[in-house]
């Protein structure tokens, strides 16, 4: 198993990126400036993209695991890798997500705690309603972990 940084042609992983963020022009907002990592275990099983948000804050903009490999620890391994790699250079690792039972418990299991919300982020920024587990996402919920 290895985790490597991807510098060229990050869009080759678009199908994984869209699993976490289903509107391509929203992915394009952070893909180029972001730092991308992929986790390989024979094949690519997961990816994540992080950005420098200033003031010592590193943000996870996108994280996704290939569907058939979800629930096997790969997502947590990537988060742990990021936390370890950036512990000396950032003070906070944060992530913004919909208020969904598919994602919030995962981040809480990985040591993140809710910090704040951005009201109507999903309804204001996406060109169509986003549903997860049958519930429409409206506000962006931020969770943070101290590094
Ligand atoms: C969310 C996602 C990245 C999690 O990665 P994963 O590899 O499936 O999760 P892991 O197996 O590493 O889970 C780590 C822990 O979180 C728990 N967990 C994961 N998803 C959970 C859920 N929906 N509800 C409750 N607990 C959950 C696991 O049980 C595990 O707990 P444990 O350490 O006690 O065993 C992955 O499911 C995914 O790619 N989903 C689709 C894309 C997406 O929604 N990305 C996030 C956008 S914000």
């Amino acid at each position: 198993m290895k985790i490597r940084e991807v510098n060229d042609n990050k869009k080759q992983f678009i199908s994984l990126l869209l699993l976490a963020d289903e509107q391509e022009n929203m992915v394009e907002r952070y893909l180029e400036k972001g730092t991308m990592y992929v986790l390989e275990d024979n094949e690519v099983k997961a990816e994540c993209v992080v950005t420098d948000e200033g003031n010592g804050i590193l943000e996870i903009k996108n994280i996704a695991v290939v569907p058939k490999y979800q629930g096997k620890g790969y997502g947590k391994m990537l988060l742990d890798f990021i936390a370890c790699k950036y512990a000396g250079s950032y003070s906070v690792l944060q992530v913004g997500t919909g208020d969904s039972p598919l994602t919030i418990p995962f981040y809480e299991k990985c040591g993140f705690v809710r910090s704040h919300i951005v009201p109507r982020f999903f309804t204001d920024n996406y060109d169509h309603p986003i549903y997860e587990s049958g519930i429409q996402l409206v506000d962006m919920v931020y969770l943070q972990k101290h590094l």
Side-chain angles (χ1 to χ4, degrees):
M1 208 267 313
K2 87 168 190 224
I3 295 172
R4 69 175 170 90
E5 187 175 335
V6 177
N7 293 302
D8 301 319
N9 189 17
K10 296 173 193 168
K11 271 217 167 168
Q12 69 188 288
F13 300 109
I14 192 69
S15 58
L16 263 178
L17 289 158
L18 291 173
L19 276 182
D21 195 349
E22 66 185 51
Q23 191 172 306
E24 194 161 337
N25 65 353
M26 292 299 284
V27 173
E28 283 163 359
R29 283 192 184 185
Y30 52 76
L31 193 57
E32 271 321 299
K33 71 169 175 167
T35 305
M36 179 180 231
Y37 295 94
V38 292
L39 182 154
E40 293 174 324
D41 195 3
N42 295 318
E43 60 197 283
V44 170
K45 300 219 157 125
E47 63 68 37
C48 77
V49 178
V50 295
T51 55
D52 179 350
E53 297 296 308
N55 296 321
I57 299 174
L58 184 72
E59 183 163 329
I60 295 157
K61 291 289 191 186
N62 191 302
I63 178 166
V65 177
V66 173
K68 68 178 170 183
Y69 299 116
Q70 289 175 8
K72 297 182 188 302
Y74 289 116
K76 183 169 190 302
M77 252 180 254
L78 258 183
L79 287 184
D80 288 347
F81 165 83
I82 298 290
C84 216
K85 182 171 179 70
Y86 289 97
S89 37
Y90 288 84
S91 51
V92 170
L93 181 59
Q94 75 174 19
V95 64
T97 183
D99 199 349
S100 161
L102 295 179
T103 53
I104 294 208
F106 162 68
Y107 293 116
E108 288 176 336
K109 264 283 166 82
C110 295
F112 288 74
V113 293
R114 285 175 185 250
S115 68
H116 60 284
I117 67 163
V118 176
R120 297 178 302 282
F121 179 85
F122 289 97
T123 45
D124 287 351
N125 288 282
Y126 286 76
D127 62 17
H128 63 289
I130 311 281
Y131 287 90
E132 255 183 46
S133 302
I135 297 162
Q136 187 181 354
L137 303 186
V138 178
D139 303 332
M140 176 83 97
V141 178
Y142 275 90
L143 296 99
Q144 294 186 336
K145 176 180 174 139
H146 287 275
L147 294 179

